[in-house]
Amino acid sequence: MEAVWSTAALWIVLALLAALLGIWLRVSVALTEILVAIAAKWVLGAFGHASFPGARDGWVIFLASAGSVLLTFLAGTELDPDAFRRRWKEATVMGLAGFLAPFLGAAWAARQLLGWSPQASWLAGMALSTTSVAVVYAVLLELGINRTEYGKVVLTACFINDLGTVVALGLLFSPFGLRTAVFVAALLLGLWAAVRIARPLLGRYGGRTSEVEAKFILAVLFALGAVAAWSGSEAVLPAYVLGMALAGTVGRHDELVRRLRTLTFGLLTPFYFIRAGLLVQPSSVAGGLSTFIVLFGAKTFSKFAGVFPLTLAYRYATGEAMYTTLLMSTGLTFGTISALYGLSHGIIDQSQYSFLVTTVVASAVVPTWVADRFFLPAHHTRPAPADLVPAAGGE
């Protein structure tokens, strides 16, 4: 067990360092956790260590996956039904454009500029079409933008973007079958039961030390995640839908949301973002920089071409339009999942997989930094709630 404890200590120390850097540099902690992981991996590699401790351990992978699931669920609870009804067309159009433009643009670049096979090119378009709900939510939450109508529209557009990727992946490479039908049925049943149970359960047992409500939410998330994985989908997909379904119930319990955030950001998401940083393969980029530039450029420019004009059409200010476009250019979870699917099914080879994953992870870092540094819509930022503000001398 000493190896597990020492590995856990190392990862949490990196997370602590990243959190402090995020505060000092005034950038997202998700961004600094990824960058700290890349730096730590590079340092260990310079001293002859081939792999980072725990990077392939099952318990680390589970914690990282649980972090992405909880983060996506919390993003779903931010949905404001009234705001969604007012601006659902805007969120849907932006989300679909955010999927289609990079899907077609990256597939074209992989085929015409890199000479990849048609199947590999479509897979590249799939992997680079995604937007990371987890990264976007983490960034918006730190700035308080998640509580604004603008932030809710962006989060919804990001989810629709990823939903398009999941559906297209199923249609092109993994035809829907009996397991998919079982998953859809289980999801609908689970949502119906969770909505009916949550309100009376939270009203009667909420706020106790035994944390009944948190255990209920985790049980539903993990159960739906298990069915999703069994069907060939991903646990983060039902997590967002469940968050949306429970937004009117969980969202009213500020203390429950605060405790879930503590669990998510204090323990789970550091494993998720640090592991994402460890997926970066600097040697692959160094050995084929032009390939990386083509893929990264294709994702970034096609996202820009698809989303930016729409934001202007919906009367976003120029800076706000750039910020929205850059956030929707991030990618992480579904991008790496799509690349791994292609590798495991022989659609792409190991080299193409490395380039795609490196590009996906880079897209979680570069657009986020540029957006934070140059296009932050300060008029949307809000101070943190009083219970989240540290006491004097505490920071």
Side-chain angles (χ1 to χ4, degrees):
M1 283 295 292
E2 64 270 20
V4 173
W5 287 111
S6 59
T7 298
L10 173 62
W11 283 59
I12 294 299
V13 167
L14 292 180
L16 176 61
L17 175 61
L20 293 173
L21 286 174
I23 294 171
W24 295 334
L25 301 177
R26 298 181 183 277
V27 296
S28 165
V29 68
L31 176 61
T32 54
E33 284 176 346
I34 294 174
L35 293 177
V36 164
I38 295 173
K41 181 181 178 181
W42 181 81
V43 170
L44 286 182
F47 286 95
H49 294 274
S51 61
F52 195 86
R56 297 182 179 179
D57 291 356
W59 65 272
V60 170
I61 295 173
F62 170 74
L63 289 180
S65 301
S68 67
V69 166
L70 261 294
L71 201 55
T72 305
F73 169 77
L74 287 171
T77 63
E78 298 289 345
L79 178 69
D80 182 342
D82 293 333
F84 181 73
R85 275 192 290 270
R86 284 193 299 271
R87 301 176 67 174
W88 69 271
K89 290 183 180 178
E90 174 184 335
T92 302
V93 169
M94 286 169 49
L96 291 177
F99 157 68
L100 281 173
F103 171 59
L104 298 175
W108 177 87
R111 178 63 179 156
Q112 299 299 325
L113 302 182
L114 301 178
W116 290 12
S117 69
Q119 285 284 86
S121 299
W122 286 122
L123 195 286
M126 204 77 68
L128 301 182
S129 69
T130 59
T131 289
S132 176
V133 174
V135 171
V136 173
Y137 175 63
V139 172
L140 297 183
L141 181 64
E142 287 187 66
L143 299 169
I145 301 177
N146 62 302
R147 288 173 283 143
T148 68
E149 184 162 317
Y150 163 75
K152 297 176 191 299
V153 170
V154 172
L155 279 171
T156 305
C158 292
F159 175 73
I160 292 172
N161 187 152
D162 278 353
L163 188 61
T165 301
V166 172
V167 172
L169 186 65
L171 291 174
L172 285 178
F173 297 108
S174 178
F176 291 106
L178 178 60
R179 292 193 176 197
T180 307
V182 172
F183 166 58
V184 173
L187 176 59
L188 294 175
L189 179 62
L191 293 175
W192 176 80
V195 170
R196 291 184 65 86
I197 294 173
R199 190 180 296 273
L201 185 78
L202 268 63
R204 181 168 183 176
Y205 300 107
R208 302 175 185 235
T209 307
S210 54
E211 298 288 356
V212 172
E213 65 272 44
K215 289 170 182 170
F216 168 74
I217 291 171
L218 290 174
V220 178
L221 283 172
F222 290 172
L224 291 177
V227 179
W230 171 78
S231 70
S233 183
E234 275 298 321
V236 291
L237 181 60
Y240 190 87
V241 179
L242 180 66
M244 294 170 66
L246 295 181
T249 303
V250 174
R252 296 175 180 173
H253 292 72
D254 293 339
E255 182 62 21
L256 172 60
V257 172
R258 192 188 68 81
R259 294 199 301 272
L260 288 175
R261 285 177 182 169
T262 300
L263 169 67
T264 305
F265 286 92
L267 174 63
L268 298 176
T269 55
F271 286 91
Y272 173 63
F273 288 120
I274 289 174
R275 188 166 182 272
L278 296 178
L279 290 174
V280 175
Q281 299 288 345
S283 58
S284 297
V285 177
L289 186 59
S290 60
T291 301
F292 168 77
I293 291 175
V294 167
L295 293 174
F296 186 80
K299 176 182 173 73
T300 304
F301 285 112
S302 56
K303 279 277 187 183
F304 188 91
V307 176
F308 186 74
L310 288 174
T311 57
L312 295 181
Y314 283 110
R315 301 181 184 279
Y316 286 40
T318 303
E320 193 175 273
M322 284 295 297
Y323 189 79
T324 305
T325 305
L326 287 165
L327 286 188
M328 290 193 66
S329 299
T330 58
L332 197 56
T333 305
F334 280 114
T336 54
I337 288 169
S338 300
L340 184 59
Y341 180 90
L343 178 66
S344 61
H345 288 77
I347 300 170
I348 56 176
D349 58 29
Q350 185 66 47
S351 175
Q352 292 168 327
Y353 168 79
S354 296
F355 279 119
L356 285 177
V357 171
T358 302
T359 304
V360 167
V361 177
S363 73
V365 176
V366 178
T368 305
W369 181 81
V370 175
D372 275 356
R373 181 68 179 80
F374 299 105
F375 300 103
L376 179 64
H379 59 287
H380 283 307
T381 59
R382 296 183 177 183
D387 61 340
L388 297 180
V389 175
E395 181 176 302

